[in-house]
Amino acid sequence: MPVISYDLPERFVAGAVGRPGDRAFYLQARAGRRVTSVGLEKFQVTLLAERLEELLDEVLRRSGGEAHVPAVTPSELRDDGPLEQPVEEEFKVGTMALAWDPDDERVVIEAQEVTEGEDDAEVGEDDPAIAVLRVRISAAQARAFAERALQVVAAGRPPCPLCGLPLDAEGHVCPRQNGYLG
């Protein structure tokens, strides 16, 4: 499968489909009528958002504030809309990579299809059987992506006030109520 590339897409977001506790998470890019959705795990969404924030903060710090990196999300780039429908998963993400292109002042995100030998594969490897989504976005778009991604993850099940584990609609067996205080 070829590399699916987007350079400054009109929209690049993380989103979820389903009820809290049973959600499927996606990265979705759109340019014109072309839409690509790839599935990933909740923890991958969190890690990508956190690493994006760290990358942008580091670029800003190293440039002494000269780089065109906003410290916070520009309000005009906030995107609370739903994922583009229908959500058709191109592939499930295994490995991801993140980079800063100083020449274009762009963030490059690569999400590679999960493979059998995941430990041996490298993102961007030239294997035509492995699909890769490559998205190049501005620093401002990256801030907006990270903010939304963290909101999507936080919109899940609320935590138990005693143990911090997610509360299920069907009930919750709290370890702190069962003699376990660890």
Side-chain angles (χ1 to χ4, degrees):
M1 205 176 233
V3 173
I4 304 165
S5 292
Y6 286 84
D7 194 5
L8 291 176
E10 295 162 18
R11 188 172 195 226
F12 180 61
V13 296
V17 175
R19 293 185 8 214
D22 191 30
R23 297 187 295 168
F25 290 85
Y26 297 93
L27 296 180
Q28 192 176 73
R30 183 190 77 217
R33 298 182 74 188
R34 186 175 87 147
V35 176
T36 302
S37 302
V38 296
L40 70 168
E41 299 296 326
K42 180 179 178 178
F43 80 91
Q44 290 174 299
V45 175
T46 302
L47 285 174
L48 179 57
E50 289 172 351
R51 296 301 179 269
L52 269 170
E53 291 284 354
E54 290 171 8
L55 173 70
L56 295 171
D57 291 345
E58 183 66 13
V59 168
L60 197 55
R61 186 188 68 75
R62 286 188 183 199
S63 73
E66 296 297 316
H68 293 94
V69 177
V72 297
T73 301
S75 60
E76 68 273 8
L77 292 181
R78 286 198 171 93
D79 182 346
D80 297 323
L83 292 172
E84 305 286 332
Q85 298 295 322
V87 177
E88 296 176 358
E89 183 178 293
E90 296 284 331
F91 60 86
K92 193 72 154 172
V93 174
T95 306
M96 291 189 291
L98 185 60
W100 174 255
D101 180 348
D103 297 331
D104 294 333
E105 292 193 331
R106 301 267 191 273
V107 173
V108 181
I109 300 166
E110 288 193 355
Q112 179 176 297
E113 180 178 23
V114 68
T115 60
E116 290 289 324
E118 189 71 22
D119 295 337
D120 301 330
E122 290 185 26
V123 174
E125 207 171 78
D126 293 330
D127 183 344
I130 299 172
V132 175
L133 172 65
R134 180 178 300 133
V135 180
R136 295 171 49 82
I137 56 177
S138 69
Q141 286 174 303
R143 284 278 188 218
F145 173 90
E147 180 179 283
R148 175 192 166 112
L150 292 173
Q151 289 171 351
V152 165
V153 169
R157 297 173 289 172
C160 171
L162 297 175
C163 69
L165 293 173
L167 293 172
D168 288 324
E170 295 81 34
H172 170 68
V173 179
C174 179
R176 295 214 176 222
Q177 291 294 314
N178 293 318
Y180 175 76
L181 298 175

